[in-house]
């Protein structure tokens, strides 16, 4: 889809405005087979003898991807390998998953030397590095992995950190919209010399479900709002402490105030890419970040390491509540890491609707 600009939004080439605020992720026959497995918007892939997922150190012929990943329901991503290893261990406890005796969690993608990936029953925990190009490459390969593995209606989460806009460090922000540094609600990437714009949309229902799981007893606030995705940590986020700075503190504050008055509550570096690529794939997705500082009050991250480590758990706790609730309510997914979500029968060319993913 190449988009043309219409206001802040995009059209999909058929003149359809894809920037309707109330839309949930559009899951259609373009992105799903009859049984809910992921259908790629790329006819080339199923014609290929093999598909090498180079940055994951996996391949469609070298690995039995259905056997290895067919039961995956949740894909959780965050910047660092350490955080995603910790999340894998945490979710393992939370969902009561047991590894076979004598085994331990293994980094499935270790020989890519790029990303780390851990699998805990129906949950994949993957590091995505920093910024749009890094998470973009990962999303292409993970979406293809979902297709090859015949995963049904997977849900993706980004579990991140960010700078708050008028929000104290430690506050958890669930993104209900994503915008770039120009406040455009799309992700744009040059393709064949032309700028392709894809609407950066998140599933509003999932946002509400996550917000409802915030516990009034949590010793921190959980809020929703628009997330700004910058292409840089320093100048791109209006910091005064980069190697270069050609603006004044007043300019910075004026910019942050403008962001705040446009509903932007936090800044990080992957939101538009994550929202746009999952949306384009028809994958329900959410972003939950913890603020490391209030950018209205400063630029340097000077909170002690132990405190930052505790804060980073907060988005994980919320996402784990969602996953647990889903597994308890649906109760259809085996937690032994095998089988019940895998579809072994051929499913190509079978189209229609997917089942509902909601569980309220
Ligand atoms: O904490 P994670 O999820 O890595 O993300 C945030 O931290 C990085 C910058 O420090 C950027 O990638 C930003 O998006
Ligand atoms: O200020 C911050 C903190 C974390 N990550 C960001 O991108 N910005």
């Amino acid at each position: 889809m190449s988009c043309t600009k219409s206001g802040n939004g995009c059209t999909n080439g058929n003149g359809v405005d894809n920037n309707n605020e109330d839309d949930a992720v559009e899951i259609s026959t373009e992105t799903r087979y009859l049984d809910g497995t992921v259908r790629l918007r790329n006819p080339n892939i199923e014609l290929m003898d093999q598909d090498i997922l180079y940055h994951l150190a996996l391949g469609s012929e070298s690995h039995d991807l259905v056997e290895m990943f067919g039961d995956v329901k949740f894909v959780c991503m965050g910047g660092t390998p350490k955080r995603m290893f910790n999340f894998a261990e945490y979710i393992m406890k939370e969902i009561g998953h047991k590894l076979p005796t004598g085994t331990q969690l293994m980094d499935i993608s270790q020989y890519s030397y790029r990303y780390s990936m851990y699998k805990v029953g129906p949950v994949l925990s993957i590091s995505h590095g920093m910024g749009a190009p890094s998470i973009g490459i990962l999303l292409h390969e993970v979406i293809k992995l979902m297709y090859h593995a015949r995963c049904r209606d997977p849900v993706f989460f980004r579990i991140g950190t960010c700078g708050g806009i008028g929000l104290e460090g430690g506050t958890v922000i669930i993104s209900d919209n994503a915008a770039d540094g120009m406040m455009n609600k799309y992700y744009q990437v040059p393709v064949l010399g032309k700028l392709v714009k894809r609407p950066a949309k998140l599933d509003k229902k999932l946002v509400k479900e996550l917000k409802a799981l915030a516990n009034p007893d949590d010793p921190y606030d959980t809020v929703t709002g628009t997330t700004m995705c910058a292409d840089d940590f320093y100048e791109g986020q209006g910091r005064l402490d980069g190697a270069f700075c050609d603006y004044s503190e007043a300019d910075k504050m004026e910019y942050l105030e403008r962001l705040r008055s446009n509903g932007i509550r936090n800044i990080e570096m992957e939101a538009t890419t994550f929202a746009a690529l999952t949306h384009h794939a028809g994958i329900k997705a959410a972003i939950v970040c913890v603020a490391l500082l209030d950018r209205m009050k400063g630029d340097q991250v000077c909170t002690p390491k132990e405190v930052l480590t505790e804060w980073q758990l907060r988005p994980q706790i919320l996402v784990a509540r969602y996953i647990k609730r889903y597994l308890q309510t649906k109760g259809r997914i085996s937690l032994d890491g095998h089988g019940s979500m895998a579809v072994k029968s051929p499913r190509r060319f079978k189209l229609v609707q997917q089942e509902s993913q909601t569980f309220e």
Side-chain angles (χ1 to χ4, degrees), residues 78-80 83 128-131 158-162 233 268-270:
T80 69
R83 185 188 313 149
H128 60 58
M130 283 194 282
R158 179 173 126 66
I159 298 167
T161 66
C162 62
F233 187 78
E268 45 81 281
M269 295 177 59
E270 291 84 19

Side-chain angles (χ1 to χ4, degrees), residues 12 21 23 55 105 163 191 201 208 217 219 235 269 271 274 291 296:
N12 66 4
E21 293 286 319
D23 273 354
H55 302 88
L105 272 179
V191 176
K201 288 212 223 172
K208 282 195 196 124
D217 296 334
E235 291 169 285
M269 295 177 59
F274 179 82
M296 306 302 285

Side-chain angles (χ1 to χ4, degrees), residues 176-247:
D176 58 14
N177 278 292
D180 68 15
M182 305 299 288
M183 289 186 231
N184 298 308
K185 290 184 178 167
Y186 52 76
Y187 163 63
Q188 61 179 359
V189 63
V191 176
L192 305 183
K194 290 191 186 125
L195 267 186
V196 170
K197 297 173 185 171
R198 295 208 171 115
K201 288 212 223 172
L202 293 158
D203 191 289
K204 297 278 162 44
K205 195 160 183 216
L206 184 54
V207 171
K208 282 195 196 124
E209 288 168 350
L210 285 166
K211 180 74 170 67
L213 291 170
N215 191 327
D217 296 334
D218 291 335
Y220 48 86
D221 290 333
T222 299
V223 303
T224 59
T226 303
T227 296
M228 181 187 128
C229 175
D231 280 338
D232 167 47
F233 187 78
Y234 290 98
E235 291 169 285
Q237 299 189 21
R239 280 186 154 83
L240 301 170
D241 61 344
F244 317 105
C245 184
D246 303 326
Y247 42 83

